[in-house]
Amino acid sequence: MKRNLLKFLPFLIGTALILSSCGGDSDNEEEKPVDETKPVIETPAVPTADEVFMTASKVAYKGTFTDDTELKSVVFTLSSLKSATGVEDDPWETQTQTVELSGTSDEVDQEIFGVIPDNIYTGDSGYQLSVVCEDAAGNKSAATNIKILLR
């Protein structure tokens, strides 16, 4: 019987070592706190509310975005506010542009959406610029919509 036990002893020791090493180091690892804080969109320097832009020019955006851990991106969307005004000019098609961000604070200072077409509706109902910032954890903040007028 001792012989049989000696034959299985290396197997039992090996099995015990393998099982003890599979436990992982979960006790030694610190769990990262969950980021639930939304990023901050500071009031942009450009454009201002009800700012007037001319057709065949460009819309610029200059503003700062911050987050407590890590920024990811900002999405700009321009939509027409044209209602049933009786004007036959077509509105500027909805435009969307994404800008990648990094770090805990980043500034965007650039033209967005390209050249404003000269054959679009330019009435007083104007257009609306929406700004949505997302951080690396997926938290999102939306800025107050900015009304833009075209002439």
Side-chain angles (χ1 to χ4, degrees):
M1 176 144 162
K2 277 188 175 180
R3 252 188 199 175
N4 289 338
L5 184 61
L6 289 176
K7 286 182 183 178
F8 288 108
L9 189 58
F11 173 76
L12 293 172
I13 292 172
T15 302
L17 288 174
I18 290 173
L19 291 175
S20 67
S21 67
C22 292
D25 293 334
S26 62
D27 294 339
N28 297 334
E29 293 179 15
E30 289 184 36
E31 289 187 27
K32 293 182 180 178
V34 177
D35 178 10
E36 295 178 350
T37 305
K38 294 179 179 183
V40 175
I41 302 171
E42 295 182 18
T43 302
V46 176
T48 58
D50 294 329
E51 185 166 346
V52 176
F53 291 88
M54 304 303 288
T55 58
S57 67
K58 296 181 180 181
V59 175
Y61 187 91
K62 182 176 182 177
T64 303
F65 305 89
T66 59
D67 187 61
D68 61 334
T69 56
E70 182 72 24
L71 292 164
K72 180 181 176 185
S73 64
V74 60
V75 177
F76 300 101
T77 304
L78 185 72
S79 305
S80 172
L81 296 174
K82 178 184 172 190
S83 56
T85 59
V87 177
E88 294 189 21
D89 293 347
D90 289 329
W92 192 4
E93 295 295 322
T94 298
Q95 303 285 315
T96 300
Q97 182 173 341
T98 301
V99 176
E100 299 302 316
L101 302 173
S102 62
T104 58
S105 180
D106 205 350
E107 182 178 289
V108 173
D109 185 3
Q110 67 184 52
E111 294 171 344
I112 52 177
F113 311 126
V115 177
I116 300 168
D118 60 359
N119 60 343
I120 60 169
Y121 173 70
T122 57
D124 288 335
S125 61
Y127 296 82
Q128 179 173 277
L129 176 63
S130 298
V131 181
V132 178
C133 183
E134 182 177 5
D135 68 13
N139 301 308
K140 293 181 181 181
S141 290
T144 304
N145 295 321
I146 302 166
K147 186 175 177 184
I148 295 175
L149 302 173
L150 300 180
R151 300 280 183 239

